[in-house]
Amino acid sequence: MMISLGFLTIHPQQEVEYVTEIAKHASEFSIEIYRFTPFNIHPNTENIEGFRYDLQQKKWIEDSFLLPSFIYDRCFYRKDSLSKKARPIVNWLKQREDVTFLGHGLPNKLDVYEVIKKDSYLSSYIPPTTPIESVEQLVQLLRTNDSLMIKPANGSQGKGIVKLRQRGREIEASYQQNDIVNTILFSSFQEFKNWFTKTTRDVLYIAQPHISFFPYERTPFDIRLLLQKGNDGAWKETGRGIRQGERDSIVTNVSSGASIVPFENLLPRIPRVHRQYVMDEINTICKTIPSVLENHFPSLFELGIDLCISRDFSIWILDLNSKPGRKIVMETAPEQKEVMYKNVLSYCVYLANTLSYRKE
């Protein structure tokens, strides 16, 4: 009996190349692949007008079909009207007993940090994180820190991140648009307050001390690890690489101009006396994070872990992403691409077998 798996996105053409590569392997796992958006679901009949991958024709064809039993959720929510319309539909799907999501996603950064902070092992790897409730509170934090990074609690891809520094009686704010860093200098508290209030309107922001990165070719960088589950439901590392920003960049996101280099390029730059320690720390953090998250939040299928190394060689958790990109694998370990595609399908089969076993 064929398993039905739906690839769910907000925009119809989103990640089509990715899901097509997955669909090419689907017959090996007796899975039929569909792709659709939340808006393709007819509210009365619950029939879906979307696309089905035809193995004979090796292409997507428009089709009408029932709701798939399994859903791979790749919806990314912004501030736009489509996102606002999509979210309640996806939440409705998640409540249905006849639908199983491969992964449920994580809540906002603050909720995730709070969980990590309570773990006896991981707590020391999270920078002090404060929800910003007022501009006065933010200025007070600046007085006790050389510089701060503030970011939206629900942000992604480096959007909305601002670096703040106190310069005498002035406050300097730097932010990045694509690969360009813009800096504004505020000479008065009121001037800064007006700007901050306008910039962060109706958005929860968090503040963290700015971490002075260990310099890799004199540029900021972070380490991105891609973890996925496979045919036995266990977490496995699919890819590991370096995201290297421009010389003066604030963020290391690829969408903001960062480049990707193999993780192995970093090791010779770390002094031998620190090298094994850094490797052990990274490996232990990555083995620990998934179980800690799944003890507090609904189950996940994949996870992007962003780490950085400070100048004193301590390791910090920068971000955790339950809907990560794949460029780390595509550009540093192309031999892992097939593994990445097949993990989606083999984990779907694992879930189907697990559900069948529970029903018996």
Side-chain angles (χ1 to χ4, degrees):
M1 182 177 176
M2 295 287 280
I3 299 169
S4 58
L5 172 63
F7 189 81
L8 182 65
T9 60
I10 290 181
H11 301 282
Q13 298 303 313
Q14 179 187 322
E15 298 188 311
V16 171
E17 289 183 10
Y18 174 48
V19 68
T20 301
E21 292 301 321
I22 294 171
K24 289 176 182 178
H25 299 281
S27 62
E28 302 170 37
F29 298 85
S30 298
I31 294 177
E32 191 142 45
I33 299 280
Y34 304 89
R35 61 181 177 87
F36 61 101
T37 74
F39 319 111
N40 293 142
I41 306 172
H42 195 284
N44 295 325
T45 64
E46 296 183 3
N47 278 351
I48 300 173
E49 300 294 333
F51 295 88
R52 174 177 58 84
Y53 190 76
D54 189 289
L55 288 168
Q56 277 69 44
Q57 299 184 58
K58 295 183 179 180
K59 67 177 185 178
W60 294 97
I61 59 172
E62 290 189 51
D63 200 0
S64 176
F65 47 89
L66 299 174
L67 196 62
S69 301
F70 296 88
I71 290 180
Y72 184 13
D73 176 16
R74 293 292 294 180
C75 291
F76 295 93
Y77 303 108
R78 315 293 185 205
K79 293 180 182 178
D80 58 283
S81 59
L82 272 183
S83 294
K84 291 177 181 176
K85 292 176 184 176
R87 193 185 288 272
I89 301 173
V90 177
N91 289 338
W92 166 73
L93 288 172
K94 288 180 177 178
Q95 300 302 316
R96 294 181 62 113
E97 293 186 359
D98 59 341
V99 175
T100 300
F101 277 65
L102 300 193
H104 280 259
L106 290 170
N108 68 54
K109 288 179 173 57
L110 186 60
D111 290 345
V112 172
Y113 288 150
E114 287 297 322
V115 163
I116 298 294
K117 194 164 64 177
K118 291 175 183 175
D119 183 79
S120 57
Y121 175 75
L122 293 175
S123 59
S124 59
Y125 299 100
I126 284 282
T129 304
T130 308
I132 302 171
E133 297 174 352
S134 68
V135 184
E136 290 77 8
Q137 172 208 24
L138 185 56
V139 171
Q140 188 62 41
L141 284 171
L142 267 176
R143 288 177 183 151
T144 55
N145 293 275
D146 293 334
S147 57
L148 292 173
M149 299 296 286
I150 64 171
K151 60 184 78 171
N154 285 302
S156 63
Q157 297 183 328
K159 291 181 171 60
I161 293 178
V162 181
K163 180 181 178 181
L164 298 176
R165 286 198 304 171
Q166 186 96 38
R167 298 185 56 164
R169 295 188 176 184
E170 297 178 316
I171 295 175
E172 180 186 273
S174 300
Y175 61 95
Q176 193 160 334
Q177 290 180 312
N178 298 321
D179 58 348
I180 299 173
V181 176
N182 301 287
T183 299
I184 309 174
L185 204 59
F186 302 97
S187 56
S188 71
F189 168 76
Q190 190 59 47
E191 190 181 350
F192 173 68
K193 182 177 182 178
N194 292 342
W195 173 84
F196 180 80
T197 303
K198 181 180 178 181
T199 301
T200 64
R201 185 178 297 142
D202 301 323
V203 177
L204 172 63
Y205 263 69
I206 58 176
Q208 294 176 326
H210 175 254
I211 299 169
S212 184
F213 288 7
F214 165 74
Y216 173 78
E217 296 184 350
R218 298 181 181 179
T219 63
F221 76 95
D222 67 10
I223 302 163
R224 161 58 71 91
L225 301 104
L226 175 62
L227 275 59
Q228 292 179 311
K229 291 178 179 175
N231 60 355
D232 57 358
W235 287 98
K236 298 179 180 68
E237 184 177 314
T238 309
R240 177 184 299 204
I242 302 296
R243 300 189 302 180
Q244 181 181 357
E246 297 293 330
R247 179 68 60 90
D248 298 314
S249 61
I250 294 170
V251 298
T252 54
N253 300 80
V254 176
S255 58
S256 298
S259 55
I260 294 174
V261 296
F263 178 77
E264 291 71 25
N265 289 19
L266 172 66
L267 297 181
R269 310 299 175 91
I270 301 174
R272 188 179 296 275
V273 66
H274 297 290
R275 199 175 300 163
Q276 192 58 51
Y277 165 78
V278 167
M279 290 292 293
D280 290 345
E281 289 281 271
I282 291 172
N283 292 336
T284 305
I285 289 170
C286 291
K287 287 177 182 175
T288 308
I289 284 177
S291 59
V292 171
L293 294 178
E294 291 193 307
N295 283 339
H296 292 84
F297 303 120
S299 62
L300 304 167
F301 158 60
E302 55 193 344
L303 190 63
I305 301 176
D306 296 338
L307 307 175
C308 77
I309 305 173
S310 69
R311 287 184 180 272
D312 65 359
F313 298 100
S314 55
I315 309 297
W316 296 94
I317 300 170
L318 294 180
D319 202 6
L320 300 169
N321 189 342
S322 56
K323 296 176 183 176
R326 299 164 300 280
K327 287 188 177 180
I328 285 294
V329 173
M330 305 297 280
E331 297 192 22
T332 67
E335 72 280 359
Q336 283 288 94
K337 287 192 293 185
E338 298 295 302
V339 174
M340 182 175 64
Y341 303 139
K342 290 184 178 182
N343 277 345
V344 178
L345 301 162
S346 62
Y347 183 60
C348 184
V349 172
Y350 167 81
L351 287 177
N353 291 337
T354 303
L355 289 171
S356 299
Y357 175 76
R358 287 175 184 171
K359 291 175 182 177
E360 290 177 359

